[in-house]
Amino acid sequence: MMRTRQGDGSALPEIGPWAPLWRVVMGTEHHGTRYDIDVDLWDPAERVRLYRDGRQHWVQASPARFVLEDGSRIEVAYSTLGLKRAHLVTAEDEQRMLEPAPGTGERWRADLDRDRPGVSRLIALLSWTVLVIAALVELPQLVEQIAGWTELFAFTSPASAPAWVNAVLTIGGVLAGIERALRLRYNALIDD
């Protein structure tokens, strides 16, 4: 894990129209100070940049833990397709998720949840269902492939699907995972 290093003082960059494809910006007000995190999901070093009142204050690799002056901390952690955690934890151990910035995919998903809760629940149910079905169908096939390559054990998958079904499940699984990441829903069994 990268140690915390001092930020360069640069301003928090604007969120462009294509930024939701690779960038997460979330923030909160805490004791009169604005804190924002900026994450480039395509950054192989998984750096998390913390901005204080709009200026880069600290940089750390995920999982990041920035300790604030009052003993509170901002905790941020990557998942495969987005963030699995972005919280302010007070010195009293109260936790509050950071708010997605306008123009981000996470904000779009939060607004959909607020404005159209029925549609939001349906999308959430569909994404969870697709992930579970993809895991149940594709994992046994993967184990069978590994068994054939390594010859260390024998295994025959109870589920065998044509290539086009596996392709559809893979694409659907990735899209469902992205949807869950936009909501900061994370379960180690189905999301990583």
Side-chain angles (χ1 to χ4, degrees):
M1 183 168 101
M2 172 182 164
R3 302 182 96 192
T4 302
R5 71 173 166 82
Q6 194 68 36
D8 61 13
S10 61
L12 178 64
E14 294 290 320
I15 300 169
W18 296 102
L21 297 175
W22 70 82
R23 190 168 167 216
V24 178
V25 179
M26 301 179 77
T28 190
E29 295 282 333
H30 182 65
H31 294 307
T33 302
R34 175 76 191 178
Y35 293 98
D36 293 285
I37 57 113
D38 187 8
V39 174
D40 177 349
L41 296 172
W42 294 355
D43 177 4
E46 296 186 352
R47 285 180 289 250
V48 178
R49 292 162 183 83
L50 178 72
Y51 290 79
R52 181 178 174 169
D53 291 328
R55 295 284 171 194
Q56 192 182 100
H57 191 58
W58 288 318
V59 179
Q60 196 178 111
S62 176
R65 177 185 270 199
F66 300 103
V67 179
L68 308 180
E69 291 79 12
D70 68 342
S72 298
R73 59 194 185 276
I74 292 179
E75 298 178 351
V76 182
Y78 273 65
S79 71
T80 304
L81 298 172
L83 294 183
K84 61 181 170 183
R85 181 166 177 75
H87 283 72
L88 170 73
V89 181
T90 66
E92 297 80 30
D93 259 356
E94 295 174 13
Q95 298 190 26
R96 180 173 75 225
M97 190 168 84
L98 303 181
E99 293 289 324
T104 62
E106 291 77 11
R107 179 59 170 263
W108 170 82
R109 189 62 183 86
D111 290 347
L112 178 67
D113 192 48
R114 183 194 65 228
D115 299 339
R116 307 283 305 266
V119 171
S120 177
R121 281 192 298 276
L122 179 62
I123 292 171
L125 177 64
L126 288 173
S127 70
W128 186 87
T129 303
V130 166
L131 283 173
V132 170
I133 290 170
L136 290 174
V137 172
E138 292 186 338
L139 285 178
Q141 293 178 87
L142 179 62
V143 172
E144 181 177 10
Q145 288 292 320
I146 292 169
W149 294 332
T150 63
E151 299 180 4
L152 295 174
F153 60 96
F155 180 80
T156 302
S157 172
S160 182
W164 71 269
V165 171
N166 284 328
V168 168
L169 285 175
T170 299
I171 293 167
V174 169
L175 293 174
I178 291 170
E179 188 277 332
R180 289 179 56 80
L182 290 176
R183 291 186 299 127
L184 274 83
R185 296 292 191 264
Y186 177 79
N187 181 300
L189 294 174
I190 61 175
D191 290 313
D192 227 1

